[in-house]
């Protein structure tokens, strides 16, 4: 009998790394083939449980498990598209944490998944309303990651779907960050904002008491 959601609901709770790697691959194949997964959304509680468990994978200290968790969540976004919106609150905080990971690959994939959410699950500003907490993250790499994510968002979507007046103050705060990488990336992000909206942002910065030299 081919594996279905009951099987996965049980198996994603496994803590053994080898087992997780195997189940993750099976789940990717299951999600990749709609004909094999007609029961995906039959039971809402079961689906909630699977997504919760995968979010815990993303938090795993084993980077292979974290990467696989990111992959599988991405496959869920592909399948559920707008219906994934209700899980954004659950997955976003672990993604902000992972944008601060020591491994480039994990940081990159976490950002890619955030951008995928904007593309398939909810409008960019809906995501940014919830992502902005990352500007205050205790890990400097996460703070830097959120600035990089804003640059990527502007590159893909332009300024139109964003309410930049809500995001620019965070960048202004980041100009004074204790970490030089965060300060530099915040400046790159404001340059990107300027590229899209022009003089308005310079006037805004002056109002916020940023010295003209800056």
């Amino acid at each position: 009998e081919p594996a279905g959601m009951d099987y996965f609901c049980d198996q994603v709770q496994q803590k053994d790394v080898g087992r997780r790697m195997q189940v993750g691959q099976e789940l990717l194949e299951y999600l990749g083939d709609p004909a094999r997964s007609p029961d995906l959304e039959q039971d809402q509680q079961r689906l909630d449980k699977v997504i919760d468990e995968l979010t815990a994978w993303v938090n795993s200290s084993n980077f292979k498990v974290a990467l696989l968790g990111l992959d599988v969540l991405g496959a869920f976004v592909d399948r559920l598209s707008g219906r994934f919106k209700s899980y954004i609150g659950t997955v976003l905080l672990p993604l902000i944490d992972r944008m601060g990971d020591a491994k480039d690959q994990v940081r990159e994939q976490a950002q890619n998944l955030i951008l995928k959410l904007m593309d398939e699950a909810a409008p960019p500003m809906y995501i940014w309303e919830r992502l902005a907490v990352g500007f205050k993250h205790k890990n400097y790499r996460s703070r830097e990651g959120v600035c990089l994510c804003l640059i990527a968002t502007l590159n893909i979507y332009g300024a139109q779907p964003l309410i930049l007046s809500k995001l620019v103050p965070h960048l202004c705060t980041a100009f004074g960050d204790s970490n030089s990488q965060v300060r530099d990336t915040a400046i790159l992000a404001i340059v990107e904002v300027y590229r899209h909206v022009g003089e308005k942002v310079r006037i805004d910065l002056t109002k916020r008491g940023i010295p003209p030299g800056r």
Side-chain angles (χ1 to χ4, degrees):
E1 163 144 331
M5 278 299 275
D6 274 340
Y7 167 80
F8 288 118
C9 190
D10 182 48
Q11 294 297 313
V12 289
Q13 299 176 57
Q14 303 275 346
K15 297 289 178 267
D16 176 69
V17 170
R19 189 72 198 110
R20 279 177 162 185
M21 298 308 284
Q22 195 182 334
V23 170
Q25 289 306 327
E26 289 172 12
L27 196 41
L28 282 173
E29 285 165 27
Y30 165 85
L31 290 166
D33 180 1
R36 269 186 60 190
S37 43
D39 66 335
L40 180 62
E41 294 177 81
Q42 264 171 16
D43 180 339
Q44 193 58 48
Q45 277 182 305
R46 188 175 60 185
L47 182 58
D48 294 351
K49 177 80 181 138
V50 171
I51 303 250
D52 278 347
E53 287 296 334
L54 288 168
T55 304
W57 287 28
V58 170
N59 275 327
S60 170
S61 54
N62 182 308
F63 85 98
K64 286 183 177 167
V65 172
L67 282 172
L68 189 55
L70 290 165
D71 263 352
V72 178
L73 283 174
F76 268 104
V77 176
D78 288 336
R79 276 298 295 276
L80 298 172
S81 56
R83 298 186 302 287
F84 196 88
K85 190 177 181 180
S86 57
Y87 299 112
I88 287 171
T90 310
V91 301
L92 216 45
L93 290 175
L95 292 180
I96 296 170
D97 288 342
R98 293 281 83 156
M99 281 203 297
D101 199 85
K103 287 203 179 305
D104 295 353
Q105 204 185 344
V106 177
R107 291 201 300 276
E108 209 168 290
Q109 210 161 319
Q111 177 173 304
N112 289 343
L113 185 49
I114 292 172
L115 294 169
K116 184 192 275 277
L117 289 171
M118 293 180 201
D119 187 41
E120 297 179 36
M125 197 58 206
Y126 181 90
I127 306 285
W128 272 103
E129 296 271 0
R130 288 148 187 82
L131 193 55
V133 296
F135 285 112
K136 295 186 172 72
H137 199 279
K138 61 185 188 300
N139 180 343
Y140 83 88
R141 279 191 195 277
S142 287
R143 298 196 300 277
E144 179 191 23
V146 176
C147 293
L148 289 169
C149 201
L150 181 54
I151 294 171
T153 306
L154 284 163
N155 277 324
I156 297 167
Y157 298 101
Q160 213 53 46
L162 299 176
I163 304 165
L164 287 169
S165 58
K166 288 188 173 182
L167 301 175
V168 167
H170 294 291
L171 293 176
C172 293
T173 307
F175 291 165
D177 198 272
S178 56
N179 181 278
S180 65
Q181 272 171 251
V182 178
R183 295 196 298 273
D184 292 348
T185 314
I187 289 171
L188 289 176
I190 210 81
V191 168
E192 198 59 42
V193 172
Y194 182 80
R195 220 163 61 79
H196 287 275
V197 300
E199 280 306 308
K200 275 193 301 196
V201 74
R202 192 194 294 272
I203 296 158
D204 193 25
L205 292 180
T206 314
K207 280 188 199 149
R208 291 181 191 285
I210 305 282
R214 276 311 273 285

